[in-house]
Amino acid sequence: MHDGASTQAFAPPLLGEPYLLTPGPLTTSAEVKQAMLRDWGSWDADFRAMTVELRRGLLALTGDRRGDYDCVPMQGSGSFCVEAMLGSFVPKDGKVLVLANGAYGLRAAETMRYIGRPYTLIDKGDYLPPRGEEVAAALDADPGITHVLAIHCETSSGILNPVAEIAAVVESKGRKLLIDSMSAFGAIRLDVNEIAFEAMVSSANKCIEGVPGFGFVIARKDALKAAEGNSHSLSLDVHAQWATMEKTGQWRYTPPTHVVAAFLQALRMHTAEGGVAGRGARYIRNRDVMVAGMRELGFETLLSDTWLSPIIVTFFCPADPNFVFSRFYEQMKQKGFIIYPGKLTVVESFRVGCIGRMDEHVMRKVVEAARQSLAEMKVASAAPPADAIAERAKLAA
Ligand SMILES: *Cc1c(COP(=O)(O)O)cnc(C)c1O
């Protein structure tokens, strides 16, 4: 990990609002907020042109030079898009192998249960990564499995799952890969020339740094064609949304016009920053500066550096009895930073996001705020309890 000096210094959020060190909604730029200050007619040629720009801009991030893929935006939050993808690309007689290591993988399995399609689950618990060999074994054991669903960055622990390894196995076994790249897309490479996927989803309010209101599916055109008639849901039918957009340039039902306008501004700023590589580099610096500073204070990360994503980082709560998470949260908020509770079932933890309109200068202030908050709570040491360390040892085993 490095701690490169940067000259980039972002304006602080408007109106003294706190920084959101969360995985979305996140801190957006003033320009993105300003782009929402006008109304658009959803049927008008100006807005249809915006939809075209949005779809092209997102496709350009995938490295699809042959024109094999298309992008279909869908109204709603990210979970609506996951449900739309599962219901549209998995035929009624298909079967999904869901790879879970946290809340979002389990939510995908729950979605399969709701839509009443067969699935099977590999559940690795709170944070252990699903590996290629076990996916291969599961696919060999059950020829009925048609699709595999992988979570790119599992935001509940912050682990960056080995999707390239998984994709290679899925392809070699002749099955199709669906990816929830919600919290990774736009900052971590997901290139169609390197990772063969049938479809992936992400949303407006994660690494592209837009505001919440829609998600998008990027899928093979042949899969979009084949999806006709599969969906369990009228409003979540990706094929129908795609077919209508291709024919009329319009979204099927009311689009979140202001959110789209904001997103186009966010996409322009993403390009200006150097696209996926530039955005990813800033988030990596954010993580490296923040993690190094927190470790100096005595905090320890759940994950070893190998698995640490530049999206969000889980820290163990200190063992010191003076440490109370709800108080720490309030102290951090008073200093201008909203942090995020942890999602581990076994030990107490909290999370700090690295994404959004902020840079390493902000991350240094986050660390300083954490140092002051510990002092105010009279926490002598931020070291985690022994059972947290024992839990983490499982990852190395
Ligand atoms: C944010 C996120 C989602 C979607 O969550 P919503 O609250 O519905 O936007 C899905 N999967 C992952 C990995 C996420 O980070």
Side-chain angles (χ1 to χ4, degrees), residues 9 15 19 57 60 63 89 91 95 125 130 174 192 236 261-262 269 365-366 375 394 397:
L15 307 172
Y19 281 99
F89 295 105
K95 182 173 184 181
V192 299
L236 297 178
M269 295 173 82
K365 293 188 183 137
V366 172
K394 283 191 208 160

Side-chain angles (χ1 to χ4, degrees), residues 48-296:
R48 278 184 278 144
M50 286 159 65
T51 300
V52 170
E53 187 184 338
L54 169 108
R55 295 173 68 196
R56 279 207 191 121
L58 286 170
L59 267 180
L61 305 184
T62 65
D64 174 33
R65 285 179 293 274
R66 290 186 302 272
D68 291 339
Y69 287 75
D70 209 343
C71 172
V72 188
M74 299 288 292
Q75 295 94 330
S77 87
S79 301
F80 290 61
C81 248
V82 174
E83 181 166 342
M85 172 172 74
L86 290 170
S88 300
F89 295 105
V90 181
K92 296 198 169 80
D93 59 356
K95 182 173 184 181
V96 180
L97 170 62
V98 176
L99 308 178
N101 56 341
Y104 292 103
L106 293 177
R107 187 181 298 174
E110 178 74 345
T111 306
M112 291 305 294
R113 196 177 70 74
Y114 260 72
I115 68 182
R117 307 260 162 104
Y119 71 96
T120 169
L121 178 66
I122 294 183
D123 183 1
K124 301 288 296 190
D126 277 350
Y127 58 86
L128 296 177
R131 301 308 301 257
E133 316 94 75
E134 57 197 323
V135 174
L139 293 178
D140 286 340
D142 187 349
I145 295 170
T146 53
H147 294 71
V148 175
L149 177 94
I151 312 288
H152 197 175
C153 170
E154 177 45 86
T155 322
S156 36
S157 65
I159 190 170
L160 193 55
N161 281 323
V163 287
E165 178 182 303
I166 292 164
V169 168
V170 173
E171 191 179 22
S172 78
K173 302 286 176 191
R175 318 299 171 85
K176 290 167 177 166
L177 180 63
L178 306 174
I179 304 177
D180 171 351
S181 186
M182 206 70 66
S183 62
F185 189 76
I188 296 171
R189 255 173 99 86
L190 186 55
D191 190 306
V192 299
N193 305 294
E194 294 159 9
I195 294 182
F197 62 83
E198 185 85 343
M200 59 76 56
V201 285
S202 181
S203 73
N205 59 285
K206 304 247 172 164
C207 297
I208 310 287
E209 300 184 357
V211 301
F214 72 90
F216 49 90
V217 180
I218 294 177
R220 296 187 58 86
K221 284 180 186 158
D222 51 19
L224 282 163
K225 286 193 194 108
E228 184 167 8
N230 280 348
S231 184
H232 62 295
S233 159
L234 173 68
S235 56
L236 297 178
D237 186 338
V238 179
H239 174 270
Q241 179 91 329
W242 178 63
T244 300
M245 250 175 213
E246 287 293 284
K247 203 164 144 213
T248 68
Q250 294 180 26
W251 302 48
R252 272 180 315 158
Y253 312 128
T254 302
T257 48
H258 303 75
V259 177
V260 170
F263 191 76
L264 288 182
Q265 179 58 32
L267 261 182
R268 286 177 208 121
M269 295 173 82
H270 183 267
T271 306
E273 194 174 349
V276 176
R279 182 61 50 92
R282 171 159 61 87
Y283 290 171
I284 287 172
R285 277 198 304 280
N286 283 354
R287 176 200 61 195
D288 289 353
V289 166
M290 187 267 293
V291 167
M294 293 292 277
R295 283 178 176 158
E296 252 169 57

